[in-house]
Amino acid sequence: MSGGDGTTIEYDTRTVVVSLVVGVFFGGMVGGVAFPTLPRLGSILGFSALVVGIILAINRATRMVVNAPAGAVLDRVGTRRPMLAGFLLEGVAPVGYVLGLTDWWTTGLAHLLPVSATAASAATFVLARIVWGVGSAFVLVGAFSTVTKVTTPENRGTWTGYMRGGQSLGFPAGLVAGGLVADLVGFRAAFAVAGVAAAVALVVCALVLPDLRPDSGGHEGGLRDVPRLAFGDARVFAIGATNFIVRLLYAGVLLSTVVEYAAANDIHVGELAATGVSGVVMAICAIFAAAATVIAGPLADRAPTRSSVVVPSLGLLGVGFACLALSPTLVGTVTGVALIGLGVEGANLPLLAYLGDISPADDVGKLGGVYNVFGDFGSTVGPLVALPIATTYGYTAEYAGCALCCVVAIAVVARAATDDQTVTTPHTAADG
């Protein structure tokens, strides 16, 4: 890989990944703060379930559109500058959240447009989430591209696990901070915590993140190659389809409904109400997800195929949703989300590692963008349908349906594993 002056530079893998882990940890905090707080906007500000769903989904819809261009930019100019821009945009989003709760802003905006103050507040939250979506696209695709460029098929699962672990640990930190601060101090303070976390991520990465440049200056095809990369290789499509299902269930359905699930079933811990409880519960989920990254990474490096780690992880994901459907108690909820956390990262990690194995050197960013497009499509659809389905059919039916979707995901992976194109061991896969 090349430095900014065109010279070849060898980076120590440990140094690069550790610096990246610090950044994505605090970036994960920004995302974590949103989920114990934003789903409650309906009861606080009078938003309908559909509007809340749009607010929760619009950042992922934006990221879905931006992922592929972000990957092309990363392939062409390197990882440092686009990632720093991404962290900066993630820090701008919480400012929008605070403005959405501020009377003088919403009243002034209502007179300017003109719309109701409620509509002005909703529009502010939507715009802030769009900004966050753009920023997170560069951060997440950049993280994948960085780790892939400094690893080999023999250690890619392990180091990808550390990177994902940092992000997974940051997320529960944000969930706990967001839920507790919102309950004890208020929603503005919770959003301020998110802003501080984003600022820390930006500063740390600006100080230590290396500038990894492509050896050849990026592939000439650019965005025109994305459809071919996504649909021309059965391996890439199978990875993307599995990621779609996993993100639909986890980031789309679970994170959008768990706070209302806790309220509907009167799940509480001491003095903590639904918002605080959901933050703690989802923190447990994310902690187990982080543990899975430490376990699944080395397993994915040693297993005969990456898919042999993905399939049992998807099974854990399905069992977790079954627990939520059948046991709407504190114990059942904690057990369910713990299994879901293990299943989500146990599946995601080997999928990412395998994608890195088969990615051509000049297309790593674009393939990372393709992977995230599939996932963000699932994350976007989820909030739009999750709350309406729960309202109509109940949480038991919804979470049982999620368990069945895990069976579908297992079938996708199993079918892919029977194709000679998809059976590649970590130790023989082409490294770009």
Side-chain angles (χ1 to χ4, degrees), residues 44-426:
I44 295 172
L45 298 175
F47 298 163
S48 67
L50 177 61
V51 170
V52 173
I54 291 172
I55 291 172
L56 290 171
I58 193 66
N59 68 307
R60 300 187 189 100
T62 301
R63 192 167 63 193
M64 182 173 61
V65 174
V66 176
N67 277 325
V73 170
L74 287 156
D75 284 339
R76 184 165 295 276
V77 306
T79 59
R80 177 181 167 83
R81 287 176 293 167
M83 287 191 70
L84 293 181
F87 282 121
L88 177 62
L89 292 176
E90 283 189 345
V92 171
V95 177
Y97 300 163
V98 174
L99 290 176
L101 291 172
T102 304
D103 290 338
W104 66 262
W105 170 266
T106 56
T107 301
L109 194 60
H111 287 306
L112 179 65
L113 291 180
V115 294
S116 68
T118 299
S121 178
T124 303
F125 276 101
V126 167
L127 180 60
R129 296 289 280 173
I130 289 173
V131 170
W132 193 91
V134 174
S136 63
F138 282 97
V139 170
L140 296 180
V141 179
F144 167 77
S145 181
T146 299
V147 172
T148 298
K149 287 177 181 295
V150 299
T151 57
T152 67
E154 288 74 21
N155 65 12
R156 183 163 293 127
T158 300
W159 289 112
T160 301
Y162 292 144
M163 182 271 291
R164 294 284 296 185
Q167 186 179 4
S168 297
L169 286 174
F171 192 72
L175 289 168
V176 172
L180 294 180
V181 173
D183 256 3
L184 301 176
V185 183
F187 280 67
R188 289 185 181 85
F191 296 146
V193 168
V196 171
V200 172
L202 175 61
V203 171
V204 170
C205 285
L207 291 174
V208 299
L209 192 66
D211 190 14
L212 303 180
R213 298 292 185 91
D215 291 331
S216 61
H219 195 284
E220 291 299 322
L223 282 175
R224 292 174 294 179
D225 280 346
V226 170
R228 173 185 60 81
L229 293 170
F231 301 105
D233 189 331
R235 299 170 298 179
V236 174
F237 184 78
I239 291 170
T242 306
N243 189 37
F244 165 78
I245 296 174
V246 171
R247 303 311 295 179
L248 169 71
L249 301 184
Y250 175 64
V253 175
L254 182 67
L255 296 186
S256 301
T257 59
V258 68
V259 61
E260 297 297 339
Y261 171 81
N265 292 289
D266 193 27
I267 298 172
H268 58 274
V269 178
E271 298 299 320
L272 292 180
T275 302
V277 168
S278 68
V280 173
V281 165
M282 288 311 301
I284 293 172
C285 179
I287 288 171
F288 274 84
T293 64
V294 177
I295 299 169
L299 282 178
D301 286 337
R302 298 187 183 100
T305 63
R306 307 285 196 195
S307 64
S308 60
V309 180
V310 177
V311 169
S313 298
L314 292 172
L316 290 176
L317 183 63
V319 173
F321 276 107
C323 285
L324 294 180
L326 300 175
S327 181
T329 63
L330 179 60
V331 173
T333 300
V334 170
T335 302
V337 298
L339 291 173
I340 289 170
L342 290 172
V344 166
E345 285 304 331
N348 269 334
L349 235 177
L351 288 174
L352 273 172
Y354 184 56
L355 183 63
D357 294 341
I358 64 176
S359 296
D362 288 336
D363 293 325
V364 172
K366 287 187 282 292
L367 277 170
V370 166
Y371 178 85
N372 283 343
V373 166
F374 277 98
D376 286 332
F377 182 50
S379 300
T380 300
V381 172
L384 295 176
V385 301
L387 290 176
I389 288 176
T391 302
T392 304
Y393 300 104
Y395 291 101
T396 298
E398 181 166 48
Y399 290 154
C402 291
L404 291 177
C405 287
C406 293
V407 177
V408 175
I410 290 173
V412 170
V413 174
R415 174 64 184 87
T418 63
D419 191 327
D420 288 341
Q421 282 186 301
T422 66
V423 181
T424 306
T425 65

